[in-house]
PDB file of all heavy atoms in Angstrom:
ATOM      1  N   THR V 205      14.517  78.769 111.794  1.00 98.00           N
ATOM      2  CA  THR V 205      14.950  79.781 112.750  1.00 98.00           C
ATOM      3  C   THR V 205      14.648  81.146 112.146  1.00 98.00           C
ATOM      4  O   THR V 205      14.366  81.276 110.951  1.00 98.00           O
ATOM      5  CB  THR V 205      16.437  79.661 113.089  1.00 98.00           C
ATOM      6  OG1 THR V 205      17.215  79.843 111.890  1.00 98.00           O
ATOM      7  CG2 THR V 205      16.750  78.310 113.721  1.00 98.00           C
ATOM      8  N   THR V 206      14.708  82.167 112.973  1.00 98.00           N
ATOM      9  CA  THR V 206      14.271  83.495 112.554  1.00 98.00           C
ATOM     10  C   THR V 206      15.349  84.534 112.827  1.00 98.00           C
ATOM     11  O   THR V 206      16.064  84.465 113.827  1.00 98.00           O
ATOM     12  CB  THR V 206      12.986  83.892 113.315  1.00 98.00           C
ATOM     13  OG1 THR V 206      11.971  82.918 113.054  1.00 98.00           O
ATOM     14  CG2 THR V 206      12.490  85.255 112.874  1.00 98.00           C
ATOM     15  N   TYR V 207      15.454  85.480 111.902  1.00 98.00           N
ATOM     16  CA  TYR V 207      16.346  86.622 112.071  1.00 98.00           C
ATOM     17  C   TYR V 207      15.499  87.887 112.214  1.00 98.00           C
ATOM     18  O   TYR V 207      14.513  88.066 111.495  1.00 98.00           O
ATOM     19  CB  TYR V 207      17.278  86.775 110.863  1.00 98.00           C
ATOM     20  CG  TYR V 207      18.346  85.717 110.768  1.00 98.00           C
ATOM     21  CD1 TYR V 207      18.079  84.498 110.151  1.00 98.00           C
ATOM     22  CD2 TYR V 207      19.616  85.932 111.294  1.00 98.00           C
ATOM     23  CE1 TYR V 207      19.056  83.517 110.064  1.00 98.00           C
ATOM     24  CE2 TYR V 207      20.600  84.956 111.208  1.00 98.00           C
ATOM     25  CZ  TYR V 207      20.316  83.756 110.592  1.00 98.00           C
ATOM     26  OH  TYR V 207      21.288  82.780 110.513  1.00 98.00           O
ATOM     27  N   TYR V 208      15.917  88.745 113.126  1.00 98.00           N
ATOM     28  CA  TYR V 208      15.304  90.067 113.262  1.00 98.00           C
ATOM     29  C   TYR V 208      16.367  91.114 112.981  1.00 98.00           C
ATOM     30  O   TYR V 208      17.431  91.109 113.601  1.00 98.00           O
ATOM     31  CB  TYR V 208      14.719  90.257 114.662  1.00 98.00           C
ATOM     32  CG  TYR V 208      13.555  89.352 114.941  1.00 98.00           C
ATOM     33  CD1 TYR V 208      13.698  88.245 115.773  1.00 98.00           C
ATOM     34  CD2 TYR V 208      12.320  89.581 114.346  1.00 98.00           C
ATOM     35  CE1 TYR V 208      12.621  87.394 116.023  1.00 98.00           C
ATOM     36  CE2 TYR V 208      11.241  88.735 114.586  1.00 98.00           C
ATOM     37  CZ  TYR V 208      11.407  87.645 115.423  1.00 98.00           C
ATOM     38  OH  TYR V 208      10.335  86.800 115.649  1.00 98.00           O
ATOM     39  N   PHE V 209      16.061  91.981 112.046  1.00 98.00           N
ATOM     40  CA  PHE V 209      17.018  93.018 111.637  1.00 98.00           C
ATOM     41  C   PHE V 209      16.479  94.376 112.054  1.00 98.00           C
ATOM     42  O   PHE V 209      15.423  94.814 111.584  1.00 98.00           O
ATOM     43  CB  PHE V 209      17.230  92.965 110.124  1.00 98.00           C
ATOM     44  CG  PHE V 209      18.295  93.904 109.625  1.00 98.00           C
ATOM     45  CD1 PHE V 209      19.637  93.575 109.745  1.00 98.00           C
ATOM     46  CD2 PHE V 209      17.956  95.118 109.053  1.00 98.00           C
ATOM     47  CE1 PHE V 209      20.625  94.445 109.290  1.00 98.00           C
ATOM     48  CE2 PHE V 209      18.931  95.997 108.595  1.00 98.00           C
ATOM     49  CZ  PHE V 209      20.278  95.652 108.721  1.00 98.00           C
ATOM     50  N   LEU V 210      17.202  95.031 112.948  1.00 98.00           N
ATOM     51  CA  LEU V 210      16.824  96.350 113.438  1.00 98.00           C
ATOM     52  C   LEU V 210      17.575  97.431 112.682  1.00 98.00           C
ATOM     53  O   LEU V 210      18.798  97.367 112.535  1.00 98.00           O
ATOM     54  CB  LEU V 210      17.156  96.471 114.930  1.00 98.00           C
ATOM     55  CG  LEU V 210      17.095  97.880 115.538  1.00 98.00           C
ATOM     56  CD1 LEU V 210      15.638  98.334 115.684  1.00 98.00           C
ATOM     57  CD2 LEU V 210      17.812  97.924 116.885  1.00 98.00           C
ATOM     58  N   GLN V 211      16.836  98.429 112.215  1.00 97.00           N
ATOM     59  CA  GLN V 211      17.408  99.658 111.657  1.00 97.00           C
ATOM     60  C   GLN V 211      16.673 100.807 112.329  1.00 97.00           C
ATOM     61  O   GLN V 211      15.447 100.898 112.226  1.00 97.00           O
ATOM     62  CB  GLN V 211      17.185  99.746 110.150  1.00 97.00           C
ATOM     63  CG  GLN V 211      17.656  98.537 109.352  1.00 97.00           C
ATOM     64  CD  GLN V 211      17.222  98.628 107.903  1.00 97.00           C
ATOM     65  OE1 GLN V 211      17.777  99.406 107.123  1.00 97.00           O
ATOM     66  NE2 GLN V 211      16.229  97.847 107.519  1.00 97.00           N
ATOM     67  N   ALA V 212      17.410 101.680 113.008  1.00 98.00           N
ATOM     68  CA  ALA V 212      16.707 102.703 113.769  1.00 98.00           C
ATOM     69  C   ALA V 212      17.581 103.916 114.028  1.00 98.00           C
ATOM     70  O   ALA V 212      18.803 103.802 114.163  1.00 98.00           O
ATOM     71  CB  ALA V 212      16.226 102.125 115.105  1.00 98.00           C
ATOM     72  N   GLY V 213      16.946 105.061 114.114  1.00 96.00           N
ATOM     73  CA  GLY V 213      17.616 106.274 114.534  1.00 96.00           C
ATOM     74  C   GLY V 213      17.625 106.355 116.056  1.00 96.00           C
ATOM     75  O   GLY V 213      16.684 105.918 116.729  1.00 96.00           O
ATOM     76  N   ALA V 214      18.681 106.927 116.605  1.00 95.00           N
ATOM     77  CA  ALA V 214      18.828 106.978 118.056  1.00 95.00           C
ATOM     78  C   ALA V 214      17.700 107.769 118.725  1.00 95.00           C
ATOM     79  O   ALA V 214      17.235 107.402 119.811  1.00 95.00           O
ATOM     80  CB  ALA V 214      20.180 107.581 118.417  1.00 95.00           C
ATOM     81  N   SER V 215      17.245 108.841 118.092  1.00 95.00           N
ATOM     82  CA  SER V 215      16.182 109.657 118.687  1.00 95.00           C
ATOM     83  C   SER V 215      14.911 108.843 118.898  1.00 95.00           C
ATOM     84  O   SER V 215      14.279 108.901 119.962  1.00 95.00           O
ATOM     85  CB  SER V 215      15.867 110.857 117.786  1.00 95.00           C
ATOM     86  OG  SER V 215      17.001 111.660 117.602  1.00 95.00           O
ATOM     87  N   ALA V 216      14.521 108.086 117.879  1.00 97.00           N
ATOM     88  CA  ALA V 216      13.317 107.263 117.972  1.00 97.00           C
ATOM     89  C   ALA V 216      13.535 106.062 118.884  1.00 97.00           C
ATOM     90  O   ALA V 216      12.607 105.629 119.583  1.00 97.00           O
ATOM     91  CB  ALA V 216      12.884 106.810 116.580  1.00 97.00           C
ATOM     92  N   LEU V 217      14.750 105.517 118.897  1.00 97.00           N
ATOM     93  CA  LEU V 217      15.041 104.383 119.780  1.00 97.00           C
ATOM     94  C   LEU V 217      14.887 104.776 121.237  1.00 97.00           C
ATOM     95  O   LEU V 217      14.270 104.054 122.028  1.00 97.00           O
ATOM     96  CB  LEU V 217      16.468 103.877 119.542  1.00 97.00           C
ATOM     97  CG  LEU V 217      16.668 102.755 118.533  1.00 97.00           C
ATOM     98  CD1 LEU V 217      18.152 102.480 118.366  1.00 97.00           C
ATOM     99  CD2 LEU V 217      15.935 101.490 118.956  1.00 97.00           C
ATOM    100  N   GLU V 218      15.472 105.905 121.599  1.00 97.00           N
ATOM    101  CA  GLU V 218      15.356 106.350 122.992  1.00 97.00           C
ATOM    102  C   GLU V 218      13.888 106.540 123.363  1.00 97.00           C
ATOM    103  O   GLU V 218      13.444 106.127 124.446  1.00 97.00           O
ATOM    104  CB  GLU V 218      16.120 107.654 123.208  1.00 97.00           C
ATOM    105  CG  GLU V 218      16.090 108.119 124.661  1.00 97.00           C
ATOM    106  CD  GLU V 218      16.787 109.452 124.865  1.00 97.00           C
ATOM    107  OE1 GLU V 218      16.629 110.364 124.021  1.00 97.00           O
ATOM    108  OE2 GLU V 218      17.476 109.577 125.896  1.00 97.00           O
ATOM    109  N   ALA V 219      13.120 107.156 122.462  1.00 97.00           N
ATOM    110  CA  ALA V 219      11.703 107.395 122.727  1.00 97.00           C
ATOM    111  C   ALA V 219      10.925 106.091 122.846  1.00 97.00           C
ATOM    112  O   ALA V 219      10.130 105.905 123.779  1.00 97.00           O
ATOM    113  CB  ALA V 219      11.113 108.255 121.618  1.00 97.00           C
ATOM    114  N   SER V 220      11.142 105.180 121.918  1.00 97.00           N
ATOM    115  CA  SER V 220      10.403 103.917 121.929  1.00 97.00           C
ATOM    116  C   SER V 220      10.763 103.081 123.148  1.00 97.00           C
ATOM    117  O   SER V 220       9.895 102.430 123.755  1.00 97.00           O
ATOM    118  CB  SER V 220      10.712 103.118 120.655  1.00 97.00           C
ATOM    119  OG  SER V 220      10.243 103.798 119.518  1.00 97.00           O
ATOM    120  N   ASN V 221      12.032 103.092 123.522  1.00 97.00           N
ATOM    121  CA  ASN V 221      12.452 102.329 124.687  1.00 97.00           C
ATOM    122  C   ASN V 221      11.814 102.875 125.962  1.00 97.00           C
ATOM    123  O   ASN V 221      11.331 102.112 126.810  1.00 97.00           O
ATOM    124  CB  ASN V 221      13.977 102.365 124.811  1.00 97.00           C
ATOM    125  CG  ASN V 221      14.484 101.448 125.901  1.00 97.00           C
ATOM    126  OD1 ASN V 221      14.339 100.231 125.819  1.00 97.00           O
ATOM    127  ND2 ASN V 221      15.078 102.016 126.934  1.00 97.00           N
ATOM    128  N   ASN V 222      11.786 104.190 126.097  1.00 96.00           N
ATOM    129  CA  ASN V 222      11.182 104.770 127.293  1.00 96.00           C
ATOM    130  C   ASN V 222       9.671 104.584 127.312  1.00 96.00           C
ATOM    131  O   ASN V 222       9.077 104.438 128.383  1.00 96.00           O
ATOM    132  CB  ASN V 222      11.564 106.241 127.404  1.00 96.00           C
ATOM    133  CG  ASN V 222      12.943 106.422 128.007  1.00 96.00           C
ATOM    134  OD1 ASN V 222      13.158 106.194 129.187  1.00 96.00           O
ATOM    135  ND2 ASN V 222      13.900 106.805 127.181  1.00 96.00           N
ATOM    136  N   ALA V 223       9.050 104.558 126.148  1.00 95.00           N
ATOM    137  CA  ALA V 223       7.614 104.262 126.092  1.00 95.00           C
ATOM    138  C   ALA V 223       7.344 102.840 126.562  1.00 95.00           C
ATOM    139  O   ALA V 223       6.362 102.580 127.272  1.00 95.00           O
ATOM    140  CB  ALA V 223       7.097 104.467 124.671  1.00 95.00           C
ATOM    141  N   LEU V 224       8.216 101.890 126.197  1.00 96.00           N
ATOM    142  CA  LEU V 224       8.074 100.515 126.674  1.00 96.00           C
ATOM    143  C   LEU V 224       8.247 100.449 128.188  1.00 96.00           C
ATOM    144  O   LEU V 224       7.520  99.727 128.878  1.00 96.00           O
ATOM    145  CB  LEU V 224       9.099  99.602 126.005  1.00 96.00           C
ATOM    146  CG  LEU V 224       8.803  99.120 124.590  1.00 96.00           C
ATOM    147  CD1 LEU V 224       9.952  98.238 124.082  1.00 96.00           C
ATOM    148  CD2 LEU V 224       7.494  98.339 124.535  1.00 96.00           C
ATOM    149  N   ARG V 225       9.208 101.189 128.702  1.00 95.00           N
ATOM    150  CA  ARG V 225       9.434 101.197 130.145  1.00 95.00           C
ATOM    151  C   ARG V 225       8.216 101.739 130.886  1.00 95.00           C
ATOM    152  O   ARG V 225       7.881 101.280 131.984  1.00 95.00           O
ATOM    153  CB  ARG V 225      10.671 102.028 130.483  1.00 95.00           C
ATOM    154  CG  ARG V 225      11.969 101.417 129.966  1.00 95.00           C
ATOM    155  CD  ARG V 225      13.145 102.363 130.130  1.00 95.00           C
ATOM    156  NE  ARG V 225      13.503 102.537 131.524  1.00 95.00           N
ATOM    157  CZ  ARG V 225      14.423 103.409 131.947  1.00 95.00           C
ATOM    158  NH1 ARG V 225      15.048 104.190 131.071  1.00 95.00           N
ATOM    159  NH2 ARG V 225      14.694 103.508 133.231  1.00 95.00           N
ATOM    160  N   GLU V 226       7.537 102.704 130.270  1.00 92.00           N
ATOM    161  CA  GLU V 226       6.338 103.265 130.880  1.00 92.00           C
ATOM    162  C   GLU V 226       5.178 102.279 130.868  1.00 92.00           C
ATOM    163  O   GLU V 226       4.346 102.258 131.778  1.00 92.00           O
ATOM    164  CB  GLU V 226       5.916 104.538 130.133  1.00 92.00           C
ATOM    165  CG  GLU V 226       6.822 105.727 130.338  1.00 92.00           C
ATOM    166  CD  GLU V 226       6.639 106.370 131.707  1.00 92.00           C
ATOM    167  OE1 GLU V 226       5.508 106.328 132.233  1.00 92.00           O
ATOM    168  OE2 GLU V 226       7.628 106.885 132.251  1.00 92.00           O
ATOM    169  N   SER V 227       5.117 101.440 129.833  1.00 90.00           N
ATOM    170  CA  SER V 227       3.959 100.562 129.650  1.00 90.00           C
ATOM    171  C   SER V 227       4.120  99.190 130.299  1.00 90.00           C
ATOM    172  O   SER V 227       3.147  98.468 130.456  1.00 90.00           O
ATOM    173  CB  SER V 227       3.678 100.366 128.151  1.00 90.00           C
ATOM    174  OG  SER V 227       4.737  99.649 127.531  1.00 90.00           O
ATOM    175  N   ASP V 228       5.346  98.819 130.681  1.00 81.00           N
ATOM    176  CA  ASP V 228       5.593  97.476 131.207  1.00 81.00           C
ATOM    177  C   ASP V 228       6.528  97.563 132.409  1.00 81.00           C
ATOM    178  O   ASP V 228       7.715  97.842 132.269  1.00 81.00           O
ATOM    179  CB  ASP V 228       6.206  96.595 130.115  1.00 81.00           C
ATOM    180  CG  ASP V 228       6.325  95.127 130.536  1.00 81.00           C
ATOM    181  OD1 ASP V 228       6.249  94.853 131.748  1.00 81.00           O
ATOM    182  OD2 ASP V 228       6.491  94.282 129.650  1.00 81.00           O
ATOM    183  N   SER V 229       5.992  97.279 133.575  1.00 78.00           N
ATOM    184  CA  SER V 229       6.781  97.404 134.799  1.00 78.00           C
ATOM    185  C   SER V 229       7.900  96.369 134.886  1.00 78.00           C
ATOM    186  O   SER V 229       8.826  96.508 135.688  1.00 78.00           O
ATOM    187  CB  SER V 229       5.867  97.263 136.024  1.00 78.00           C
ATOM    188  OG  SER V 229       5.239  95.989 136.036  1.00 78.00           O
ATOM    189  N   GLN V 230       7.824  95.317 134.065  1.00 91.00           N
ATOM    190  CA  GLN V 230       8.852  94.281 134.080  1.00 91.00           C
ATOM    191  C   GLN V 230      10.040  94.628 133.180  1.00 91.00           C
ATOM    192  O   GLN V 230      11.068  93.952 133.222  1.00 91.00           O
ATOM    193  CB  GLN V 230       8.255  92.941 133.632  1.00 91.00           C
ATOM    194  CG  GLN V 230       7.097  92.453 134.494  1.00 91.00           C
ATOM    195  CD  GLN V 230       7.491  92.268 135.937  1.00 91.00           C
ATOM    196  OE1 GLN V 230       8.480  91.635 136.246  1.00 91.00           O
ATOM    197  NE2 GLN V 230       6.696  92.839 136.840  1.00 91.00           N
ATOM    198  N   TYR V 231       9.882  95.645 132.372  1.00 95.00           N
ATOM    199  CA  TYR V 231      10.942  96.031 131.435  1.00 95.00           C
ATOM    200  C   TYR V 231      11.529  97.365 131.891  1.00 95.00           C
ATOM    201  O   TYR V 231      10.826  98.376 131.960  1.00 95.00           O
ATOM    202  CB  TYR V 231      10.380  96.166 130.015  1.00 95.00           C
ATOM    203  CG  TYR V 231      11.418  96.616 129.000  1.00 95.00           C
ATOM    204  CD1 TYR V 231      12.314  95.710 128.455  1.00 95.00           C
ATOM    205  CD2 TYR V 231      11.499  97.950 128.609  1.00 95.00           C
ATOM    206  CE1 TYR V 231      13.273  96.127 127.538  1.00 95.00           C
ATOM    207  CE2 TYR V 231      12.453  98.372 127.700  1.00 95.00           C
ATOM    208  CZ  TYR V 231      13.334  97.454 127.169  1.00 95.00           C
ATOM    209  OH  TYR V 231      14.291  97.872 126.268  1.00 95.00           O
ATOM    210  N   ASP V 232      12.822  97.381 132.181  1.00 95.00           N
ATOM    211  CA  ASP V 232      13.424  98.604 132.703  1.00 95.00           C
ATOM    212  C   ASP V 232      14.888  98.713 132.280  1.00 95.00           C
ATOM    213  O   ASP V 232      15.797  98.748 133.116  1.00 95.00           O
ATOM    214  CB  ASP V 232      13.308  98.641 134.230  1.00 95.00           C
ATOM    215  CG  ASP V 232      13.669 100.007 134.797  1.00 95.00           C
ATOM    216  OD1 ASP V 232      13.526 101.012 134.070  1.00 95.00           O
ATOM    217  OD2 ASP V 232      14.115 100.064 135.963  1.00 95.00           O
ATOM    218  N   TYR V 233      15.099  98.751 130.963  1.00 96.00           N
ATOM    219  CA  TYR V 233      16.459  98.813 130.434  1.00 96.00           C
ATOM    220  C   TYR V 233      16.702 100.161 129.760  1.00 96.00           C
ATOM    221  O   TYR V 233      15.788 100.769 129.200  1.00 96.00           O
ATOM    222  CB  TYR V 233      16.707  97.679 129.437  1.00 96.00           C
ATOM    223  CG  TYR V 233      16.649  96.320 130.089  1.00 96.00           C
ATOM    224  CD1 TYR V 233      15.477  95.561 130.078  1.00 96.00           C
ATOM    225  CD2 TYR V 233      17.761  95.790 130.742  1.00 96.00           C
ATOM    226  CE1 TYR V 233      15.412  94.322 130.684  1.00 96.00           C
ATOM    227  CE2 TYR V 233      17.709  94.553 131.358  1.00 96.00           C
ATOM    228  CZ  TYR V 233      16.526  93.821 131.322  1.00 96.00           C
ATOM    229  OH  TYR V 233      16.477  92.602 131.941  1.00 96.00           O
ATOM    230  N   THR V 234      17.942 100.596 129.810  1.00 96.00           N
ATOM    231  CA  THR V 234      18.374 101.836 129.181  1.00 96.00           C
ATOM    232  C   THR V 234      19.262 101.505 127.989  1.00 96.00           C
ATOM    233  O   THR V 234      20.101 100.596 128.076  1.00 96.00           O
ATOM    234  CB  THR V 234      19.150 102.708 130.189  1.00 96.00           C
ATOM    235  OG1 THR V 234      18.292 103.002 131.289  1.00 96.00           O
ATOM    236  CG2 THR V 234      19.608 104.007 129.548  1.00 96.00           C
ATOM    237  N   LEU V 235      19.093 102.227 126.886  1.00 97.00           N
ATOM    238  CA  LEU V 235      19.859 101.934 125.673  1.00 97.00           C
ATOM    239  C   LEU V 235      21.101 102.788 125.518  1.00 97.00           C
ATOM    240  O   LEU V 235      22.048 102.393 124.837  1.00 97.00           O
ATOM    241  CB  LEU V 235      18.971 102.122 124.435  1.00 97.00           C
ATOM    242  CG  LEU V 235      17.705 101.270 124.353  1.00 97.00           C
ATOM    243  CD1 LEU V 235      16.998 101.515 123.024  1.00 97.00           C
ATOM    244  CD2 LEU V 235      18.016  99.798 124.532  1.00 97.00           C
ATOM    245  N   PHE V 236      21.091 103.973 126.134  1.00 97.00           N
ATOM    246  CA  PHE V 236      22.192 104.915 125.941  1.00 97.00           C
ATOM    247  C   PHE V 236      22.630 105.503 127.282  1.00 97.00           C
ATOM    248  O   PHE V 236      21.829 105.654 128.202  1.00 97.00           O
ATOM    249  CB  PHE V 236      21.769 106.069 125.021  1.00 97.00           C
ATOM    250  CG  PHE V 236      21.225 105.637 123.701  1.00 97.00           C
ATOM    251  CD1 PHE V 236      19.852 105.591 123.477  1.00 97.00           C
ATOM    252  CD2 PHE V 236      22.068 105.275 122.653  1.00 97.00           C
ATOM    253  CE1 PHE V 236      19.332 105.189 122.253  1.00 97.00           C
ATOM    254  CE2 PHE V 236      21.566 104.871 121.429  1.00 97.00           C
ATOM    255  CZ  PHE V 236      20.200 104.837 121.232  1.00 97.00           C
ATOM    256  N   THR V 237      23.912 105.831 127.361  1.00 96.00           N
ATOM    257  CA  THR V 237      24.426 106.588 128.499  1.00 96.00           C
ATOM    258  C   THR V 237      25.250 107.756 127.965  1.00 96.00           C
ATOM    259  O   THR V 237      25.713 107.734 126.828  1.00 96.00           O
ATOM    260  CB  THR V 237      25.324 105.724 129.402  1.00 96.00           C
ATOM    261  OG1 THR V 237      26.446 105.241 128.641  1.00 96.00           O
ATOM    262  CG2 THR V 237      24.553 104.560 129.977  1.00 96.00           C
ATOM    263  N   GLY V 238      25.448 108.768 128.803  1.00 93.00           N
ATOM    264  CA  GLY V 238      26.248 109.913 128.396  1.00 93.00           C
ATOM    265  C   GLY V 238      25.381 111.043 127.903  1.00 93.00           C
ATOM    266  O   GLY V 238      24.162 111.071 128.104  1.00 93.00           O
TER     267      GLY V 238
END
């Protein structure tokens, strides 16, 4: 089995997540609110 360990700053996470949303129409999730 496999483990994935994420370490990330919020600024880069928001950017990377929105870049994924732009590149893949099937992916449309938000990581932060407020």
Side-chain angles (χ1 to χ4, degrees):
T205 61
T206 302
Y207 289 85
Y208 293 105
F209 186 79
L210 168 73
Q211 307 172 74
S215 301
L217 268 176
E218 183 183 41
S220 295
N221 187 65
N222 279 289
L224 281 179
R225 294 171 69 186
E226 289 285 329
S227 66
D228 187 343
S229 61
Q230 301 301 310
Y231 178 80
D232 191 26
Y233 295 95
T234 300
L235 301 184
F236 305 100
T237 60

